[in-house]
Amino acid sequence: MEASFHINRSFNCCRTPFLDGGRWGTMPSSLSVADYGLLLHHILLESQMALQSKGFSGFKIPSNIVVASEYSRKQQRKSPAAKPKVPFSKGHSPSSTSKSKTDRSTQKRVQSDEKAEVRNQNFKETSRKHVAARVQTSESSSCSGPDDAFTEVKLDLLEAKQSKVEPDVTSAIKSTVLEPLEGQVDSARDELDSTTSSITLSEFGNGVAVEELPKDRPDLQNFLRDKRREESVPDAEELSTGTLENDMAKKKLLENLALSSFSSGNKFFVYPEVAKANHDIEVFLNKQLSALEKEPNVLILGAFNGWRWQSFTKPLQKTDLQGDWWSCKVHIPKEVYRMDFVFFNGDKVYENNNSQDFYMPVEGGMDIFDFEDFLLKEKRREIEKLAAEQAERERRAAEQHRLEEEKAASERDKLQAKTEAGKRREILQQMMRKAVNSVHDQWYIETSQFKGGDKVRIFYNRNSGPLAHCGEVWIHGGHNNWQDGLTIAETLDHSDGSWWSADVTVPDRALVLDWVFTDGPPGHAKVYDNNKRQDFHAIVPQSIPEDQYWVEEEHQIYIKLQQERKLKEEAKRLKAEKTACLKAETKERTLKMFLLSQKHIVYTDPLDVQAGCPVTVFYNPTNTVLNGKSEIWFRCSFNRWTHRLGSLPPQKMISFDSSSHVKATVKVPLDAYLMDFVFSEREDGGIYDNRNGMDYHVPVVGGVAREPPMHVVHIAVEMAPIAKVGGLGDVVTSLSRAVQELGHNVEIILPKYDCINYTNVKDMQFLREFGWRGTQVKVWFGKVEGLPVYLLEPQNGMFWVQCIYGCKNDGERFGFFCHAALEFLQQSGSHPDILHCHDWSSAPVAWLFKENYRHYGLSNTRVVFTIHNLEFGAGLIGKAMAHADKATTVSITYSKEVSGNPAISPNLYKFHGILNGIDPNIWDPYNDPFIPVSYTSENVVEGKKAAKEALQQRLGLRKSDYPLVGIITRLTVQKGIHLIKHAIWRTLERNGQVVLLGSAPDPRIQNDFVNLANQLHSSHADRARLCLTYDEPLSHLIYAGADFILVPSIFEPCGLTQLIAMRYGSVPVVRRTGGLNDTVFDVEHDKERAKAQGLEPNGFNFEGADTAGIDYALNRAMTAWYDARSWFNSLCKQVMEQDWSWNRPALDYMELYHAARK
């Protein structure tokens, strides 16, 4: 018969018989399986002895009863980690050395639950303290099959085969030993069946304390204590921490692990069984069970955290464990939450767990979210390291370049010194040929032989020349053709009669002495005897050899040239550094102003949002569509809504400080470069405030990621400075440069006019040729102002007309160009993100692209169209508006002024106003070559004073401290010419000066101003000057020298004149229209309007188009100049510090470009 039962935890309720003086007692509750096995063995031995004492000699305990105290001897051992619920990378092979990133939930709670589930499963499968006891009644009996996951205790009693064993012996054993035991087995099995599913590690103990055994059985207590000591096998943690240094015990544990793994068919196991971060583990592979069975070499290839951290390769060595076990040690870094690995032969044969790879969890390290942040920090450190290395390389390259430049400059200095010395030698030799040591009855030198450093007496006959009646006689002298200027100045004494004399020290290295006689000391002499303009010259007889002198002279010239050059270079370097510093400070102020421009609606704390740090967003719904809503929900993501974490869960904003603002706080990821957010009335949406479809965006600094560059292509018919007619050319160049400086890729496509100024095109080269509508088009490439430019040259001669505009077929010419530009992009395989076209001349790009090219390789491209002036080509502009993805004009006020135009009104939803800017490199008073003194806001008063004096001198105006009004304009009706005329007379009435620079395209207007100029130059020649042409250098001097710049335009889409004026510290006086209204804020009436833009008031403006309005503005300006000069000077400084460059407009255009691509 056979009795068997399964046990996988301590007994808390089963009662097992004890033999007590020939009678069965009960086993203490909560006795562990290990203790139970030991005591059972001991009791059976006692039973055998008791039965034998009663004459039952046929019963014996088999000698091969085995008691094991390690559960793994019998347990089916699985891989150390259960298969995770998240899809980790699989199938490592030589061709796939990298793994895809682990899918992640945005809630850490989910990850924690998964980790806990895996950990509990591991505990169930791999606990070190599970105990197995096996009692076998036959040597031939074997372990249970590999599918048996519980400890099995078998007790087989073979029926007696010997004839001498009496039936009542078997019956006695059955009744007194087996039947009670079988009952306990059945009870235990029933209990285990109902509790197995809830087993945890804490339920597996080491058994009861020895003292819990029956008090009247000290023999059992001693027996169990001794057996525990004998059978004790230390766990892996004890061995790994060094608390037990018993190599035999460790070997025994490893043998148990190896036997268990082999029995259950597992190919590998690790020691310790629970891997911990920042510890070593030993990995064991049974080569016999793997795909590497016949390979001589075995290596482990691994990494950590989904193959994303610290890969390693190590060879395995054969162990002395029973079976074909190979092993190596691996250190687990502290940042690890899992280890991934495969085995291979060093070549192409892999054991990779059926393409699933092996992996095991690691305890005590980072979780997956902490590791993501850690990787980002590592990336940031790597970026900083690479940046430092790049900076060092650039520094070394710059130093090498400097040395090369220094060497080349030194050679140039040497050549120049040699040339200069040669010229001097030739002149001096001619002089030496004429030089004498005396002139009869005029002068002589008393000593005939002398050299440098000697003192000689020179005699002069006063009566021989123009000094005959002078009371004093002086000698002013030098040497070597006055090489070092005046070095001798002595008064002559009256010697004898008409002869006067003086002692003179001969200069060192003098070949020739040079001098004149005069009636007084230097600076006070009036009468000279200079030998009839030839001066006096005498050879130094004992001078140094001439050849030696010229070698030394050439070297001295070389040293002087080097010193002068280095001083200039240092001054240039310092100026460049200061310029860069000023530009950086201006950009920083502009960015801050950009961030604060919406402060009445939204702002952040801190203002500069830092990656990896929390940020609080403050929102005022009273100024938005969410005014009056009971709840405000904050919806946020990063990197233009493309961040790997996706959008954050909606967050209900909370009120604070009893204000109308609400707030929400989020943590910014380390890989964020932009923070994106909108607001809604409910958690599930409802009404949104998304800034009219543009969304709210705040730049993030200090992150490891950078915004991917955008590819922008401008298609235009003007570009400064190579093909400029008006402001369009300036905008194309300046906007492109500003966007390029933000890190984006910008290109320009332009017609190749035959009137282009090619001196400003660098590296011009023929690129390719393509055909379009029967015409071959040549494509040229070059760089203009650092921008890549493609010049299209149709061979039909459309642009060989010596002009940009003015042909009868301008519409046909530019239409062909637009089509050819798109064809060039399509044929060249270019895929820009944005096509930016301008005004009527390139408006056809918008509809030609949508109708003919959008579906042929340019499907991801978006079209942006800018209106510079609606006065021309309204029909073409309207069609472009309909087809463009986004449209702009050059100021916010102008966009409102033209919003009712039929070309605009149907598409107002995509129409935006963005101010133009000025090029700060062209208009820069600190580096302007056309003004006398460089200046910044710190010395604006001194700089403008010097410029005014230079302007007055150049134009013949009286040099006096008058308030000076400058007017720089085209003389057209749009520019308010009737107001300009009135302002000139009004300025003169207020005792000011006025300068006008400009011309009229209309001959009648030009003649009108010629007559006015003649009248003014006659009546007010010292205070008025009209220059009726265009003069670029003079315009710079007027901007710098004027106190006020007048711009009384009837309409002005943007206007650059007032912006340039402020750049030079001149105060603008303007009419409130278009861009003038958006940039000039009256010092008295626009304080709040300026504050809303983050600015200070900066000028004087007026309403209407009559003389009363301009009088009002001019009178206030003049009064401020006369009566509050100190305040006026501070205003000049203030306007000069405002940034009207392309820094801010470029940011606005980038927002528009991204909105077009949404």
Side-chain angles (χ1 to χ4, degrees), residues 925 935-937 940-941 944 1038-1045 1058-1068 1098 1128-1138:
Y935 65 93
T936 68
S937 63
V940 58
V941 174
K944 291 186 69 65
I1038 294 173
Y1039 281 124
D1043 296 298
F1044 306 99
I1045 295 292
Q1058 81 279 11
L1059 306 182
I1060 299 171
M1062 289 188 280
R1063 173 72 167 154
Y1064 281 75
S1066 297
V1067 177
N1098 53 12
F1128 180 81
N1129 290 339
S1130 67
L1131 179 62
C1132 294
K1133 181 178 187 296
Q1134 183 171 289
V1135 301
M1136 195 173 180
E1137 291 176 345
Q1138 293 179 349

Side-chain angles (χ1 to χ4, degrees), residues 334-369:
K334 62 183 179 181
E335 306 86 3
V336 169
Y337 60 85
R338 65 177 272 173
M339 173 174 148
D340 309 89
F341 55 97
V342 296
F343 302 97
F344 74 121
N345 69 339
D347 193 8
K348 297 181 179 180
V349 181
Y350 278 75
E351 171 54 66
N352 59 9
N353 193 25
N354 295 325
S355 298
Q356 300 295 308
D357 298 348
F358 299 99
Y359 79 92
M360 59 181 295
V362 175
E363 296 184 354
M366 296 180 176
D367 63 23
I368 190 170
F369 296 99

Side-chain angles (χ1 to χ4, degrees), residues 953-1078:
Q953 180 176 352
R954 174 171 174 174
L955 298 181
L957 301 175
R958 182 187 302 171
K959 282 189 177 182
S960 183
D961 192 17
Y962 292 107
L964 196 156
V965 176
I967 306 170
I968 303 173
T969 184
R970 286 183 297 111
L971 297 173
T972 64
V973 174
Q974 174 202 340
K975 300 299 182 181
I977 52 177
H978 70 291
L979 297 177
I980 291 174
K981 291 178 182 178
H982 179 81
I984 291 174
W985 290 109
R986 185 60 182 163
T987 300
L988 295 175
E989 290 174 4
R990 292 295 306 268
N991 199 32
Q993 290 182 324
V994 63
V995 174
L996 182 147
L997 176 64
S999 61
D1002 187 332
R1004 292 172 298 178
I1005 297 176
Q1006 182 76 6
N1007 289 333
D1008 190 19
F1009 272 88
V1010 168
N1011 293 331
L1012 178 60
N1014 292 333
Q1015 180 184 357
L1016 291 171
H1017 297 167
S1018 175
S1019 61
H1020 298 82
D1022 60 343
R1023 291 195 293 123
R1025 188 71 70 241
L1026 274 60
C1027 305
L1028 302 178
T1029 183
Y1030 187 75
D1031 186 326
E1032 180 76 12
L1034 180 57
S1035 71
H1036 287 246
L1037 191 58
I1038 294 173
Y1039 281 124
D1043 296 298
F1044 306 99
I1045 295 292
L1046 178 67
V1047 191
S1049 302
I1050 303 304
F1051 72 91
E1052 192 67 69
C1054 178
L1056 300 180
T1057 303
Q1058 81 279 11
L1059 306 182
I1060 299 171
M1062 289 188 280
R1063 173 72 167 154
Y1064 281 75
S1066 297
V1067 177
V1069 180
V1070 306
R1071 181 175 176 272
R1072 292 189 62 170
T1073 182
L1076 300 176
N1077 181 62
D1078 293 339

Side-chain angles (χ1 to χ4, degrees), residues 133-163:
R134 183 177 62 183
V135 180
Q136 296 179 330
T137 59
S138 171
E139 272 186 281
S140 61
S141 64
S142 61
C143 299
S144 302
D147 294 332
D148 184 2
F150 300 103
T151 303
E152 181 180 1
V153 177
K154 288 185 176 180
L155 181 60
D156 295 331
L157 291 179
L158 301 178
E159 294 187 1
K161 294 182 179 179
Q162 296 90 340
S163 58

